[in-house]
Amino acid sequence: MPENFWFAFSLTLLAGLSTGIGSTIAFFSRHTNTRFLSIALGFSAGVMVYISLAEILVGAQDGLAAELGARPGAWAAAAAFFVGILIIAIIDRLVPERENPHEIHLVEEALQRPNDPRLMRMGVMAALAIGIHNFPEGLATFFVALHEPSLGIPIAVAIALHNIPEGIAVSIPIYYATGSRRKAFLYSFLSGLAEPIGALVGFFLLMPFYSETLTMLLLAGVAGIMVFISLDELLPAAREYGEHHLSIYGLVAGMLVMAVSLILLI
């Protein structure tokens, strides 16, 4: 068992279960703080894009260059990066558009449709869709933290922030369809569990083939996954929740915080 296994798994578990924060918002607020969610999602995207391109992909390319040679290593890193994008894009396409967990959901939306049985279906399908999306996200968080614990923490925070509105997307319709906080929290909790499950499945499938080259390829692929999530999911959702400029301010703030953090680690 790798030295950082339990640390990496704990980070992934905490990031996944932050969907419970979204449940709490759905239970105790009658209005959605769209400005906070817009800035938080933009911030999360900024952290993930910057750390993926400035640190993870660069480190993977350096590692592959040491293993394979400069040019083959560069080609391998680029290929793995875009394979990561392709994998998460295919997963995203498998989810029907109307069930997409990154479509915005507001508390006010459900208040206008109390006891509507269609809300239950909406919540259950959102939980399934989020679980599918969270599987590769858990893998990404886990392998980054396993390889470099100091980078795992900001990635876990970024994933946790973006899981808050996902928890809202599950909890709002189920709570207002059933009146049960327990059911709403349970479905939200289960959708978040997909992240640590994804981490464990990926770990045990890949460990028999472990090598330095495979690790670097995985990290390059993880960078691609996180860039795609940021550009395809987080930023569009951030813009829909609030003003365009708020999402961009959050994006720049996330990049700035990550840049300063990486410099301090040198």
Side-chain angles (χ1 to χ4, degrees), residues 58-242:
V58 172
Q61 182 172 324
D62 290 344
L64 288 168
E67 294 288 319
L68 306 175
R71 190 177 296 274
W75 278 111
F81 177 81
F82 287 105
V83 167
I85 289 177
L86 178 63
I87 290 171
I88 190 66
I90 291 172
I91 291 173
D92 197 59
R93 292 296 296 175
L94 292 175
V95 179
E97 188 66 27
R98 65 180 180 176
E99 313 295 358
N100 195 314
H102 301 286
E103 294 295 317
I104 68 169
H105 293 273
L106 307 177
V107 175
E108 294 86 340
E109 173 187 339
L111 286 173
Q112 296 170 3
R113 301 163 58 186
N115 303 316
D116 186 338
R118 290 174 295 179
L119 287 174
M120 185 67 185
R121 179 185 182 278
M122 181 193 300
V124 172
M125 293 305 296
L128 290 173
I130 288 168
I132 293 169
H133 277 79
N134 283 356
F135 202 85
E137 291 174 14
L139 188 66
T141 307
F142 179 78
F143 274 101
V144 171
L146 193 65
H147 179 72
E148 187 57 63
S150 61
L151 297 182
I153 295 173
I155 291 297
V157 170
I159 293 291
L161 285 174
H162 117 258
N163 280 347
I164 291 174
E166 293 186 350
I168 293 174
V170 175
S171 291
I172 286 175
I174 292 177
Y175 175 52
Y176 285 98
T178 66
S180 170
R181 288 187 171 90
R182 185 180 64 82
K183 285 184 178 179
F185 185 83
L186 178 63
Y187 278 95
S188 177
F189 178 83
L190 290 175
S191 70
L193 276 181
E195 291 201 6
I197 291 173
L200 290 178
V201 170
F203 175 77
F204 286 111
L205 282 178
L206 295 171
M207 274 310 292
F209 312 100
Y210 175 81
S211 68
E212 188 66 19
T213 299
L214 177 61
T215 300
M216 294 300 111
L217 289 172
L218 280 171
L219 289 175
V222 161
I225 289 172
M226 292 196 296
V227 168
F228 183 89
I229 290 169
S230 300
L231 300 181
D232 182 66
E233 300 171 4
L234 300 188
L235 279 179
R239 292 182 64 181
E240 287 188 57
Y241 269 118

Side-chain angles (χ1 to χ4, degrees), residues 7-92:
F7 174 77
F9 181 75
S10 297
L11 281 183
T12 307
L13 180 65
L14 291 173
L17 297 186
S18 65
T19 51
I21 298 174
S23 295
T24 304
I25 292 173
F27 298 156
F28 299 107
S29 175
R30 300 182 69 83
H31 300 283
T32 307
N33 189 338
T34 54
R35 293 171 66 87
F36 165 76
L37 290 175
S38 181
I39 293 172
L41 288 172
F43 183 90
S44 177
V47 168
M48 292 171 70
V49 167
Y50 191 91
I51 199 171
S52 294
L53 298 179
E55 184 70 19
I56 296 175
L57 182 58
V58 172
Q61 182 172 324
D62 290 344
L64 288 168
E67 294 288 319
L68 306 175
R71 190 177 296 274
W75 278 111
F81 177 81
F82 287 105
V83 167
I85 289 177
L86 178 63
I87 290 171
I88 190 66
I90 291 172
I91 291 173
D92 197 59

